[in-house]
Amino acid sequence: MAIPKKFRMPDIPKYNGTTEPNEHITSYTCKIKGNDLNDDEIESILLKKFRETLSKGAIIWYHKLALNSIDSFAKLVDAFVKAHAGAIKVDTIKSDIFKIKQRNNEMLREFVSRFQIERMELPPVSDDWAVQAFIQGLNERSSISSWQLKQNLIEYPAVTWSDVHNRYQSKIRVEDNQLGAPSGLVHPIRFATKPPRDTCREPRFNKERY
């Protein structure tokens, strides 16, 4: 069925493949149905005009659809949602790993250990995400080692997690030495400062004896 001449395509934000696909379908359908059209005209327009609401990765997906594989708007919606539902999961995973932040009183070794544990609890993420999240999560106010490491990673960007690992290991050794903790401990020992000597109880030597 040909598109009626009276039809004017409404202004619909283009979908690029990275947001909720169902929201785009709802917005698109409501805008099209808002026109003065017959029911059979609505179905035809929904199917034929959908590509005009897509951009970037979504339009590439549309052009890759097999010829004559879609003969109804319902089938198009089903294929569209299945193809782009993963985008929401990816954004969620990325959001979760970027929430891992170093606390103000957390030593570098402690943060590295916690970052690794929380990262393993998430679905697998790419190295570049892990690197970016770790750098952003470093708290410069936590310790000198954290501040130095963050500055180093910003000035000389790391490409792989292995590179990040090598750099934080050297800073952790420095931090351990400053704390007086034996190298290789999973968690640093926070040694208590020795109390000052009670001079009142110290024997007073008679200077005349010397």
Side-chain angles (χ1 to χ4, degrees), residues 93-173:
I93 295 170
K94 188 172 183 179
S95 173
D96 286 342
I97 196 170
F98 277 85
K99 290 177 182 177
I100 308 174
K101 305 289 185 182
Q102 185 178 15
R103 304 182 184 102
N104 284 338
N105 63 343
E106 189 173 32
M107 304 306 293
L108 179 58
R109 179 185 288 278
E110 295 171 332
F111 173 62
V112 167
S113 177
R114 184 168 61 83
F115 183 91
Q116 294 283 52
I117 292 172
E118 294 189 26
R119 177 188 173 188
M120 287 188 292
E121 291 175 352
L122 297 172
V125 297
S126 60
D127 255 21
D128 58 334
W129 282 6
V131 169
Q132 292 175 40
F134 180 78
I135 296 172
Q136 289 189 27
L138 282 169
N139 184 349
E140 296 172 288
R141 297 187 299 274
S142 177
S143 68
I144 294 177
S145 295
S146 296
W147 178 83
Q148 291 176 338
L149 177 60
K150 187 162 188 172
Q151 294 303 310
N152 179 269
L153 289 169
I154 291 174
E155 187 173 356
Y156 306 102
V159 178
T160 66
W161 182 254
S162 178
D163 188 12
V164 172
H165 171 84
N166 293 335
R167 297 198 213 178
Y168 73 60
Q169 283 287 68
S170 64
K171 295 301 180 184
I172 285 175
R173 284 193 291 270

